[in-house]
């Protein structure tokens, strides 16, 4: 059983930064492709970013390119989402996801078929 636990959410002013973390247990972390999604109140879940098992490949949504960076530390079984230049529209619950398959990162945009999900951490950006 794989467990994903997100942390690092909170309240921040527009233009500020936050770093989210997702700690993984229960399976060899290094073989998992990892990613982040978010869901704002009243909206559908949205893909944010994904990273390959090696960390060598990443893919991000256009809405966060240039502002958010996904990374991972396989020694710490943790994936990160560095969020800079935050905007009020970034307010959402952010979820970590993991999958052992080698599916293309672009296929993560739908969120379908991913094996493991965390419970989320709330990010609120005030204007």
């Amino acid at each position: 059983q794989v467990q994903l636990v997100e942390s690092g959410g909170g309240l921040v002013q527009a233009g500020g930064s936050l770093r989210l973390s997702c700690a993984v247990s229960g399976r060899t972390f290094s073989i998992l492709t990892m990613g982040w999604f978010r869901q704002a109140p009243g909206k559908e879940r949205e893909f944010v970013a994904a990273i390959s098992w090696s960390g060598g490949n990443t893919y991000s949504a256009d809405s966060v390119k240039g502002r958010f960076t996904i990374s991972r530390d396989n020694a710490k079984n943790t994936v990160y989402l560095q969020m800079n230049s935050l905007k009020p529209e970034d307010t959402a619950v952010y979820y970590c996801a993991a999958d052992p398959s080698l599916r293309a990162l672009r296929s993560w945009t739908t969120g379908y078929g991913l094996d493991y999900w965390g419970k989320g951490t709330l990010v609120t950006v005030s204007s």
Side-chain angles (χ1 to χ4, degrees):
Q1 184 71 16
V2 175
Q3 292 186 329
L4 284 64
V5 179
E6 302 95 335
S7 61
L11 175 64
V12 64
Q13 289 188 334
S17 299
L18 281 176
R19 188 177 80 157
L20 304 184
S21 300
C22 174
V24 181
S25 62
R27 182 162 184 167
T28 304
F29 177 73
S30 62
I31 66 171
L32 296 169
T33 301
M34 302 293 301
W36 290 93
F37 291 77
R38 65 186 182 185
Q39 187 166 19
K43 295 188 177 182
E44 293 186 352
R45 183 180 64 195
E46 176 188 21
F47 169 78
V48 177
I51 187 167
S52 64
W53 65 271
S54 68
N57 293 309
T58 63
Y59 182 69
S60 300
D62 288 343
S63 59
V64 304
K65 280 181 180 176
R67 299 189 300 123
F68 292 9
T69 302
I70 188 171
S71 62
R72 66 190 294 160
D73 185 339
N74 286 351
K76 295 182 178 180
N77 290 355
T78 302
V79 63
Y80 304 99
L81 185 68
Q82 178 66 45
M83 305 186 296
N84 299 328
S85 302
L86 282 161
K87 305 174 181 179
E89 51 263 44
D90 294 318
T91 294
V93 177
Y94 283 72
Y95 297 92
C96 177
D99 196 83
S101 71
L102 297 179
R103 55 193 285 182
L105 296 184
R106 287 179 180 269
S107 73
W108 274 60
T109 56
T110 65
Y112 293 141
L114 300 176
D115 280 2
Y116 308 109
W117 293 85
K119 294 183 178 181
T121 186
L122 176 63
V123 172
T124 303
V125 184
S126 62
S127 57

